[in-house]
Amino acid sequence: GNPVRDGVMEGGKPSLALVYQAVQALYHDPDPAGKERASVWLGELQRSMYAWEISDQLLQLKQDVESCYFAAQTMKMKIQTSFYELPPETHNALRDSLLTHIQNLKDLSPIIVTQLALAIADLALQMASWKGCVHTLIEKYNNDISSMPFLVEILTVLPEEVHSRSLRIGANRRTEIIEDLAYYSSTVVTLLTSCVEKTGNDEKMLIKVFRCLGSWFNLGVLDSNFMASNQLLMVLFQVLQRDETSTNLHEAASDCVCSALYAIENVDTNMALALQLFQGVLTLETAYHMAVAREDLDKVLNYCRIFTELCETFLETTVRSPGQGMGDLRTLELLLICAGHPQYEVVEISFNFWYRLGEHLYKINDAALHTIFRPYIQRLLHCLARHCQLDPDHEGIPEDTDDFGEFRMRVSDLVKDVIFLVGSMECFSQLYSTLKEGNPPWEVTEAVLFIMAAIAKSVDPENNPTLSEVLQQVVLLPESVHMAVRYTSIELVGEMSEVVDRNPRFLDPVLNYLMKGLREKPLASAAAKAIHNICSVCRDHMAQHFQGLLDIARSLDSFALSTEAAVGLLKGTALVLARLPLEKIAECLSDLCAVQVLALKKLLAEESTNGKSADPTVWLDRLAVIFRHTNPIVENGQTHPCQKVIQEIWPVLSDTLNTHQADNRIVERCCRCLRFAVRCVGKGSASLLQPLVTQMVSVYQVYPHSCFLYLGSILVDEYGMEEGCRQGLLDMLQALCMPTFQLLEQPNGLRNHPDTVDDLFRLATRFVQRSPVTLLSSSIIVHIIQCAIAATSLDHRDANCSVMKFVRDLIHTGVANDHEEDFEVRKQLIGQAMEQHGQQLVTQLMHSCCFCLPPYTLPDVAEVLWEVMVFDRPTFCRWLENALKGLPKETSGGAVTVTHKQLTDFHKQVTSAEECKQVCWAIREFTRLFR
């Protein structure tokens, strides 16, 4: 057979000829299946121990670019992920052979040089015995001009790799490296300077030098006084001032200046360099105008990035001392010049700065400062309104999904955030008067309405004649105006629902206007969204129009609505329905659901006659939104008006669920619909409990969709406090757990089914909250705890959060003396569980947070450890000590990961903590040692 096809490395080390064959297939096989097979086989090879030797040989033989690239990439990957496979005595030999390879292959291909440079950098960072690597590399190669390109490449990637996620070198080693790099940084800059002197106008080399310098700026280790007087800074600005600079060089120089500006974020401690950069950037204004004149958009964008980075760096200085020294407001002028550029991509670069400026001024809240910055914001808003204009020859409604549509959404967000500096009312009135007094072309009108819609909600609606006038005028717009103007005017009306609520006399004309829009295909979805807004805000006034809403809902599909808009309309209708008198609700709800129920019945009938399966999700989602938002106020003792309707609908939902039980997407939508139905009537759905649980459990045995576990958690939440339901719910839990554990115990089961983990522990947590003793005294609890301990190492946001919450809440039931009669029993049961699983839990948690989990999960881990400690501090101290003893003390590269003092300090910080936050801080610091 073909060994490439026969897969794994079981037959020992493959021959080089075979590896060549696979690499050739990967790049040149015309058959995609052949490419795929080669890719899988080479992946296996990369994971095997043979990869080290084979890639070394391929690099030595230097047969062709593809095999060398594969080998260089494999080397880099092995050093990043499997460095521990090599015994320490081989490290020196590996270093020497990599240096030989990069020297021999330096002219073959730049991408190979980069992969080898990365391999060398990653080796240097992990190999503690290689002291002063920067110094040794410079000594070895700096006199040979032909080695310069790869030497500079290694020196570029080295600082970038210090914070690499794939190398877990730990905080101790990282600190040591950063100090080392800082010590040699001026040697590197001197090397780069002499490199520029020697190679002069060699553009490729200059690009490499700027990239390298930027990389050292990014690491934050360059001495800013040394840099302030350095020749390279002059060269950078000369390159950026020169009109004939090529695009690639221009970009490299711009990146480097941006990195330098970022590196001096703390201006006061870097005064000399800050001043040099500040003055240097201000000299680029002429060059910017030159680039505009030449229509060189790439350069224009680069200058705008530099100007924005300048403003970001000097933001605090500008706000602290506007107009003085480096608080010079010419920096803002530069950004406004860019905002005047006809291409919207240019102004978009500066958005983040304007947000931050607005945020700063909002926090300081000083009227005098507002006065200084107001004219700048006014000019910005003026530019933005102009950038939002559609093309005069645009037809139809504005596109909201293309790049320009997304730009307009970002403008809308930015305007909302900075409008306070100008005043929403002043701005709104000013915009309106441009429409009232002039007779601007349609695209200007539309852009003005668009900005008005962005700020309408922030204008105070209390007796505001301007708002009322705007609303009156908009609903009088004739149908002959441009479609885009009508579209945006409908959006504006939707944003003004507060005004309608204060002035109910507008309700009729506004609804009539929106109904016109609803009947026209291009405007229908926007009109539906506006009606939904008005229903949400004017719920009480809308009650008299309920019949009209019901008519729309009945013939929903005669309008050209997006799925989302149709669901929004039903949501609005349900919100108003909930405000009707109780005796009317049941009948109206039945009416509202009838359309969807009929549609589902029709699908089921078609299914049974011709066996063709049609998708019911549209109808299920519509029912779900109706149940979700029909929440009338029901007094105790009154029957919930929705109860009868939900009982009538259950058989159809049950049949739909059965018919589509194999289809995860449809089952999920069925469960979502049932979840809102149960939530809607609460205890009133008791008659569904038995049949629903029976069906869930029987389908789950065959098709373990995790949404059944989620639905189970809703049932436990609603009924878990009812004495008569507890045993039934426990039986449900046990029946659902069996297939779940089978699924999760497969190889990589936890990793492959994070939704199941998430929903299983959501269900278990609800049980702990509603009926802890039932769960704790059951036989299933041991298995659930075991599964939770195994799942603590799962790096998946929702699933991990769910697991941690379960363990925390579980232990907490034995801690929180809520003076309930079952507290002593709970405490005793938790005591038994901890005796059995405590050590294993603490050990696993420490291992997970050092090696498996991202930093954002640490607060959750801290809460679990805190609860264990509050439950029994002396035992916890012993468990933690044992867990810490099991952690590795040094890396495979021979660097110290954690010192004895760091271990004892951490133990002491945790065990003497007075509150959970202190545990969290301690874990944050400690786990950095392993990252």
Side-chain angles (χ1 to χ4, degrees):
N2 175 348
V4 173
R5 210 175 38 233
D6 297 342
V8 212
M9 302 295 138
E10 281 153 10
K13 193 176 84 172
S15 69
L16 284 183
L18 190 54
V19 179
Y20 274 123
Q21 188 190 332
V23 171
Q24 284 306 311
L26 179 67
Y27 289 103
H28 304 295
D29 193 330
D31 170 23
K35 269 191 175 20
E36 182 52 32
R37 275 198 305 272
S39 170
V40 171
W41 188 82
L42 289 168
E44 292 277 344
L45 171 61
Q46 285 184 317
R47 281 187 291 282
S48 76
M49 272 298 286
Y50 305 121
W52 294 103
E53 192 186 340
I54 285 177
S55 41
D56 190 47
Q57 289 173 329
L58 289 175
L59 290 166
Q60 228 164 346
L61 289 168
K62 195 172 157 180
Q63 191 155 344
D64 52 28
V65 173
E66 288 98 339
S67 61
C68 287
Y69 178 69
F70 169 74
Q73 192 204 14
T74 303
M75 236 355 151
K76 177 203 69 177
M77 202 179 94
K78 293 299 278 185
I79 291 173
Q80 276 183 356
T81 58
S82 314
F83 187 54
Y84 61 86
E85 292 178 352
L86 295 182
E89 61 275 13
T90 61
H91 293 171
N92 280 338
L94 175 63
R95 174 191 65 194
D96 297 341
S97 87
L98 284 173
L99 291 172
T100 309
H101 292 320
I102 200 167
Q103 177 127 38
N104 290 338
L105 297 166
K106 59 177 188 271
D107 302 322
L108 190 57
S109 152
I111 57 171
I112 293 173
V113 171
T114 301
Q115 293 298 313
L116 287 172
L118 282 164
I120 292 164
D122 291 340
L123 177 65
L125 296 175
Q126 295 179 89
M127 185 173 152
S129 60
W130 185 0
K131 302 273 183 245
C133 67
V134 172
H135 184 67
T136 53
L137 288 168
I138 292 180
E139 285 283 272
K140 188 170 165 115
Y141 297 114
N142 78 338
N143 292 323
D144 170 22
I145 198 84
S146 72
S147 302
M148 245 358 174
F150 75 77
L151 173 60
V152 173
E153 186 68 31
I154 298 172
L155 294 174
T156 304
V157 295
L158 188 62
E160 291 171 350
E161 290 294 288
V162 170
H163 291 292
S164 155
R165 284 276 156 77
S166 38
L167 297 181
R168 305 186 74 101
I169 54 178
N172 288 332
R173 173 71 177 150
R174 196 171 283 115
T175 308
E176 183 189 342
I177 288 163
I178 290 174
E179 284 168 4
D180 200 39
L181 293 181
Y183 180 77
Y184 289 114
S185 62
S186 45
T187 318
V188 173
V189 176
T190 309
L191 170 82
L192 294 176
T193 316
S194 80
C195 190
V196 171
E197 282 162 7
K198 282 179 198 160
T199 55
N201 48 15
D202 173 4
E203 183 180 304
K204 277 200 176 131
M205 202 58 217
L206 204 47
I207 290 177
K208 277 186 167 305
V209 167
F210 289 160
R211 270 196 51 223
C212 186
L213 183 61
S215 172
W216 286 73
F217 268 127
N218 287 337
L219 190 62
V221 292
L222 293 180
D223 177 310
S224 70
N225 289 329
F226 175 70
M227 283 314 299
S229 56
N230 189 274
Q231 188 59 37
L232 280 180
L233 219 51
M234 308 256 296
V235 178
L236 261 181
F237 284 111
Q238 279 164 2
V239 165
L240 289 169
Q241 283 157 357
R242 276 211 311 272
D243 181 38
E244 57 276 11
T245 298
S246 76
T247 309
N248 291 346
L249 181 57
H250 197 275
E251 184 172 8
S254 303
D255 289 344
C256 187
V257 170
C258 288
S259 297
L261 284 164
Y262 186 76
I264 55 156
E265 200 76 271
N266 191 345
V267 175
D268 303 336
T269 55
N270 296 299
M271 265 334 217
L273 181 56
L275 192 59
Q276 288 298 320
L277 290 169
F278 184 84
Q279 290 168 340
V281 175
L282 286 180
T283 64
L284 300 178
E285 189 183 335
T286 337
Y288 168 82
H289 288 300
M290 194 65 195
V292 173
R294 292 202 185 278
E295 294 188 10
D296 188 337
L297 186 61
D298 289 328
K299 286 188 181 176
V300 168
L301 292 167
N302 285 336
Y303 289 123
C304 188
R305 279 194 302 139
I306 294 173
F307 298 156
T308 302
E309 204 61 65
L310 176 78
C311 289
E312 297 250 18
T313 293
F314 292 100
L315 173 63
E316 291 184 22
T317 318
T318 313
V319 173
R320 202 173 47 222
S321 49
Q324 293 155 35
M326 288 189 270
D328 193 329
L329 294 172
R330 276 192 304 170
T331 55
L332 296 190
E333 287 291 344
L334 287 175
L335 280 199
L336 287 173
I337 290 172
C338 291
H341 190 280
Q343 306 277 118
Y344 69 85
E345 293 87 347
V346 181
V347 67
E348 198 169 12
I349 290 173
S350 63
F351 277 18
N352 191 50
F353 165 74
W354 296 111
Y355 271 120
R356 282 187 56 206
L357 176 65
E359 204 177 30
H360 250 70
L361 293 171
Y362 188 78
K363 278 186 190 145
I364 297 173
N365 195 12
D366 168 350
L369 267 183
H370 288 195
T371 314
I372 294 174
F373 288 99
R374 181 170 300 132
Y376 292 93
I377 300 295
Q378 273 166 333
R379 284 162 60 194
L380 175 69
L381 290 173
H382 187 79
C383 288
L384 293 176
R386 205 182 60 249
H387 279 299
C388 282
Q389 289 173 21
L390 297 163
D391 265 338
D393 53 7
H394 176 91
E395 288 177 16
I397 63 170
E399 271 298 322
D400 52 2
T401 49
D402 60 2
D403 290 345
F404 184 54
E406 280 178 19
F407 167 74
R408 295 201 344 156
M409 288 323 297
R410 289 192 64 199
V411 169
S412 179
D413 292 341
L414 177 58
V415 169
K416 288 181 174 74
D417 278 10
V418 296
I419 193 65
F420 73 93
L421 281 165
V422 180
S424 324
M425 190 54 219
E426 293 86 313
C427 186
F428 197 83
S429 306
Q430 213 178 349
L431 288 164
Y432 177 51
S433 63
T434 60
L435 297 183
K436 202 162 92 174
E437 284 147 27
N439 183 12
W442 76 263
E443 69 275 12
V444 175
T445 304
E446 191 278 335
V448 169
L449 291 172
F450 178 77
I451 302 287
M452 286 169 75
I455 56 179
K457 274 200 176 124
S458 57
V459 182
D460 181 9
E462 273 311 326
N463 46 39
N464 188 323
T466 311
L467 287 178
S468 307
E469 188 183 334
V470 168
L471 202 49
Q472 272 168 308
Q473 290 304 311
V474 168
V475 299
L476 294 174
L477 274 174
E479 291 180 27
S480 56
V481 299
H482 192 289
M483 190 62 85
V485 174
R486 291 178 63 199
Y487 180 89
T488 304
S489 71
I490 288 173
E491 290 197 319
L492 173 59
V493 171
E495 291 297 307
M496 293 177 74
S497 41
E498 295 282 349
V499 184
V500 180
D501 194 42
R502 306 287 157 90
N503 303 282
R505 65 178 192 283
F506 289 146
L507 194 54
D508 281 350
V510 162
L511 287 174
N512 286 336
Y513 182 66
L514 295 177
M515 277 308 296
K516 265 191 222 157
L518 195 61
R519 292 193 191 94
E520 285 189 53
K521 189 175 175 187
L523 304 173
S525 293
K529 192 178 162 200
I531 294 173
H532 163 209
N533 274 351
I534 285 175
C535 289
S536 306
V537 174
C538 317
R539 282 169 82 170
D540 295 319
H541 298 307
M542 282 299 291
Q544 70 206 50
H545 290 278
F546 183 74
Q547 195 51 50
L549 289 171
L550 196 53
D551 292 340
I552 296 174
R554 279 196 188 123
S555 54
L556 206 51
D557 290 307
S558 65
F559 303 106
L561 296 173
S562 68
T563 319
E564 192 189 353
V567 166
L569 254 179
L570 289 173
K571 176 183 171 185
T573 309
L575 289 170
V576 176
L577 169 63
R579 292 293 168 93
L580 297 182
L582 276 190
E583 62 279 3
K584 291 197 67 172
I585 291 181
E587 161 202 353
C588 292
L589 177 67
S590 190
D591 246 3
L592 190 55
C593 294
V595 182
Q596 341 302 330
V597 174
L598 279 172
L600 287 172
K601 281 184 175 160
K602 193 170 153 215
L603 292 183
L604 289 166
E606 285 170 11
E607 180 99 22
S608 59
T609 53
N610 64 13
K612 275 229 286 283
S613 168
D615 186 352
T617 49
V618 171
W619 315 106
L620 292 169
D621 289 352
R622 289 180 185 181
L623 281 174
V625 80
I626 295 169
F627 296 142
R628 184 178 191 171
H629 297 287
T630 307
N631 35 24
I633 296 151
V634 182
E635 304 296 329
N636 265 347
Q638 288 179 304
T639 306
H640 197 292
C642 307
Q643 192 173 319
K644 184 167 147 293
V645 182
I646 285 172
Q647 274 162 356
E648 287 164 7
I649 289 178
W650 159 247
V652 182
L653 291 177
S654 174
D655 289 349
T656 304
L657 180 54
N658 257 338
T659 305
H660 297 280
Q661 54 182 295
D663 185 327
N664 182 54
R665 191 178 62 96
I666 296 176
V667 172
E668 212 163 67
R669 304 301 243 290
C670 278
C671 286
R672 189 169 169 272
C673 190
L674 287 162
R675 156 190 161 196
F676 290 122
V678 169
R679 286 283 193 223
C680 173
V681 292
K683 307 274 177 292
S685 60
S687 62
L688 297 186
L689 200 53
Q690 192 61 52
L692 174 56
V693 169
T694 308
Q695 187 173 2
M696 282 164 59
V697 168
S698 80
V699 175
Y700 192 78
Q701 307 297 323
V702 192
Y703 299 107
H705 303 298
S706 72
C707 51
F708 287 126
L709 300 170
Y710 187 91
L711 188 52
S713 73
I714 303 287
L715 296 175
V716 171
D717 196 36
E718 292 289 343
Y719 293 98
M721 309 285 274
E722 307 281 305
E723 200 48 60
C725 298
R726 286 176 165 170
Q727 187 55 46
L729 290 169
L730 182 65
D731 294 343
M732 170 191 79
L733 173 69
Q734 287 179 311
L736 292 172
C737 274
M738 289 311 144
T740 305
F741 291 150
Q742 276 174 356
L743 189 68
L744 298 179
E745 279 159 10
Q746 294 170 357
N748 288 330
L750 294 164
R751 235 201 7 253
N752 295 340
H753 304 283
D755 298 354
T756 301
V757 175
D758 182 9
D759 292 331
L760 171 68
F761 288 103
R762 205 184 283 258
L763 169 57
T765 304
R766 287 293 190 203
F767 238 111
V768 168
Q769 293 163 347
R770 293 285 173 252
S771 182
V773 175
T774 313
L775 179 63
L776 283 163
S777 27
S778 73
S779 58
I780 194 85
I781 185 65
V782 175
H783 303 287
I784 293 179
I785 293 176
Q786 283 295 342
C787 183
I789 292 175
T792 54
S793 62
L794 185 60
D795 173 10
H796 181 281
R797 193 181 285 258
D798 299 338
N800 195 282
C801 182
S802 192
V803 172
M804 296 297 177
K805 184 167 174 35
F806 163 72
V807 182
R808 183 205 157 278
D809 286 8
L810 184 75
I811 300 165
H812 191 69
T813 51
V815 170
N817 189 352
D818 41 20
H819 307 293
E820 296 276 340
E821 64 277 13
D822 65 356
F823 176 64
E824 285 310 317
V825 183
R826 285 185 343 227
K827 190 171 170 177
Q828 188 193 345
L829 287 166
I830 293 292
Q832 288 166 6
M834 291 314 289
E835 213 169 305
Q836 210 177 341
H837 309 285
Q839 178 69 70
Q840 194 195 353
L841 173 68
V842 174
T843 303
Q844 181 68 46
L845 280 173
M846 283 315 301
H847 184 271
S848 293
C849 62
C850 289
F851 299 109
C852 312
L853 299 178
Y856 67 75
T857 58
L858 297 181
D860 297 345
V861 176
E863 286 197 3
V864 175
L865 292 173
W866 171 255
E867 292 295 336
V868 178
M869 182 159 77
V870 174
F871 185 74
D872 179 350
R873 206 174 274 246
T875 312
F876 172 75
C877 291
R878 208 171 60 243
W879 285 340
L880 182 62
E881 187 179 347
N882 292 337
L884 294 175
K885 277 180 184 153
L887 291 172
K889 310 295 183 279
E890 58 171 57
T891 66
S892 40
V896 173
T897 306
V898 55
T899 62
H900 182 69
K901 184 177 185 310
Q902 285 170 326
L903 285 170
T904 49
D905 285 353
F906 172 66
H907 189 274
K908 193 173 154 196
Q909 283 166 342
V910 173
T911 52
S912 62
E914 309 265 313
E915 49 180 346
C916 185
K917 328 201 249 276
Q918 293 164 309
V919 176
C920 188
W921 288 331
I923 291 184
R924 258 183 215 285
E925 278 310 301
F926 184 70
T927 52
R928 283 200 182 110
L929 298 171
F930 297 88
R931 274 185 213 291

